[in-house]
Amino acid sequence: MVQEKLRVAIVGSTGYGGVELIRLLQAHPNVEITSVISSSSAGVPISEGFPHLTHIIERNLDGVEPADIAAVADVVFTATPSGVSAKLVPQLLAAGLKVVDLSGDFRLKDGSVYEAWYKHPAPDSEWLDKAVYGLSEVFGSEVTGQSFISNPGCYPTATLLGLIPALSAGWIDPKTLIIDAKSGVSGAGRGTSLTTHYAEINENFKAYKVNKHQHIPEIEQVLSQVSGAPVTVTFTTHLVPMTRGIMSTMYASLLGTYTEDDLIELYRQYYEGRRFVRIRDKGVWPATKEVSGSNYCDIGFSVDARTNRVTFISVIDNVVKGAAGQAIQNLNLMMGWEESLGLTFTPVYP
């Protein structure tokens, strides 16, 4: 028998996360895209804003109406700005749809923390409680069979995958964590601003939101959950003049004497069977281009015996593993499918 395909709608199809979902879902064997949605461009052919989709997605953008979406879809990806999903997602769930939310609206379990960092009213606590945090390689078993997944942020994905095995093993001191993270400009979205203006970012390298980035409480929430005690971090973000990619370089004091070989063995055991995390050999550190266009997270280490500190280097494509790719990975887990379905493509190099 031919399996009936899952009907999927994408809210926010005119943003980078939404259009990347389109690219990836086109290759998914179990999925059919039945609606591409934009509140600002309803009725306009999607190829008008994205000419590269000509003859690939031949449809007009639909409006955001939960009842209309429920009539044509089973699952909705909400690739919306923060503050939008908080209002929309409960309506979609009430309409009987499964939801994978790519915004930050449901990641933080404490509504007051959300409001302090995101500057928006928090969703009702019942929805925060229902949302399952979809860091696939760590909480994948909790995602299976669920109907509402909160997809992790791009910086937290790279950072948490790089730190959790060592933290959960008790090998590093969480009080000493310093995170130095860099992102390509696609992480800022498609909207224009002085920050991402070509003349401002070209041949430039700058820090932004120092000690104030909204992903800080997300990282701290998960690290605290893993360690069983409150964890706070120093987290500095930088914008680099490239389109895609995140590199999180993290530093911590070791609680004991461990070598790079020890860390490599620990991480390979922790991520055994999780094909999208690749651990580098000793003395080999990952680069963003080596994961570009893919759902991989590559991790490398350096132990400084002189200071008894360890440096972790973790890289992802922020638009794929940091957004659309991990969202599809979560869809696969939700539906009980093979985790890598529709995601087994090689990084684009050079």
Side-chain angles (χ1 to χ4, degrees):
M1 292 181 61
V2 177
Q3 181 177 347
E4 187 173 340
K5 291 193 174 185
L6 188 76
R7 300 174 303 163
V8 167
I10 302 166
V11 179
S13 293
T14 55
Y16 289 144
V19 80
E20 190 74 346
L21 279 166
I22 292 171
R23 180 179 79 88
L24 301 180
L25 288 170
Q26 282 291 107
H28 198 295
N30 291 2
V31 163
E32 178 187 4
I33 300 173
T34 53
S35 180
V36 288
I37 299 163
S38 171
S39 61
S40 61
S41 304
V44 176
I46 190 168
S47 59
E48 185 173 304
F50 291 106
H52 73 287
L53 294 177
T54 300
H55 298 161
I56 297 173
I57 298 288
E58 295 287 350
R59 63 171 67 242
N60 291 348
L61 289 156
D62 297 321
V64 185
E65 177 51 58
D68 293 343
I69 298 170
V72 299
D74 307 301
V75 177
V76 183
F77 292 94
T78 48
T80 61
S82 295
V84 175
S85 285
K87 300 174 183 177
L88 176 62
V89 166
Q91 299 176 55
L92 297 171
L93 292 168
L97 291 154
K98 296 179 183 292
V99 175
V100 181
D101 180 50
L102 281 73
S103 81
D105 286 351
F106 298 93
R107 296 171 190 157
L108 302 178
K109 295 304 182 182
D110 186 329
S112 63
V113 174
Y114 171 86
E115 291 177 355
W117 288 85
Y118 281 84
K119 312 303 181 187
H120 297 296
D124 289 344
S125 59
E126 68 169 302
W127 301 112
L128 296 178
D129 292 339
K130 287 181 180 179
V132 177
Y133 187 72
L135 187 64
S136 304
E137 280 76 17
V138 180
F139 304 117
S141 61
E142 299 176 21
V143 172
T144 302
Q146 298 296 323
S147 60
F148 178 24
I149 306 302
S150 178
N151 211 55
C154 50
Y155 279 125
T157 295
T159 300
L160 293 169
L161 291 177
L163 289 175
I164 282 175
L167 183 65
S168 61
W171 286 16
I172 56 174
D173 183 352
K175 299 184 186 69
T176 65
L177 284 172
I178 296 174
I179 303 159
D180 177 27
K182 301 97 173 169
S183 175
V185 293
S186 60
R190 203 182 190 203
T192 56
S193 70
L194 186 61
T195 301
T196 56
H197 190 289
Y198 179 81
E200 298 287 333
I201 190 60
N202 182 49
E203 298 185 37
N204 199 6
F205 181 28
K206 56 186 175 183
Y208 70 103
K209 294 185 180 179
V210 178
N211 294 324
K212 295 182 179 180
H213 199 283
Q214 67 272 18
H215 286 166
I216 291 173
E218 181 181 344
I219 292 168
E220 292 180 342
Q221 175 180 275
V222 178
L223 293 180
S224 298
Q225 179 182 345
V226 168
S227 69
V231 174
T232 56
V233 300
T234 296
F235 180 73
T236 305
T237 50
H238 304 79
L239 201 59
V240 298
M242 64 183 186
T243 301
R244 292 172 178 255
I246 280 178
M247 175 179 285
S248 281
T249 307
M250 299 157 283
Y251 311 90
S253 294
L254 288 165
L255 294 173
T257 303
Y258 302 101
T259 66
E260 289 160 15
D261 290 329
D262 294 330
L263 284 159
I264 290 168
E265 180 62 22
L266 173 70
Y267 275 63
R268 285 181 174 165
Q269 287 185 10
Y270 189 96
Y271 290 121
E272 185 176 3
R274 311 314 292 265
R275 65 179 297 166
F276 293 121
V277 176
R278 304 187 297 187
I279 308 303
R280 287 286 189 260
D281 291 335
K282 183 177 180 179
V284 180
W285 300 287
T288 56
K289 189 172 281 292
E290 293 161 4
V291 296
S292 183
S294 82
N295 199 50
Y296 289 105
C297 174
D298 290 3
I299 304 171
F301 316 92
S302 178
V303 173
D304 186 348
R306 185 179 62 86
T307 61
N308 202 38
R309 293 181 65 84
V310 57
T311 301
F312 305 89
I313 301 172
S314 177
V315 299
I316 63 170
D317 183 316
N318 57 294
V319 190
V320 187
K321 184 61 172 171
Q326 184 160 221
I328 294 169
Q329 198 175 346
N330 279 314
L331 172 69
N332 290 337
L333 291 167
M334 286 171 68
M335 301 304 298
W337 299 334
E338 166 57 43
E339 184 177 0
S340 61
L341 199 64
L343 295 170
T344 56
F345 37 81
T346 301
V348 177
Y349 196 96

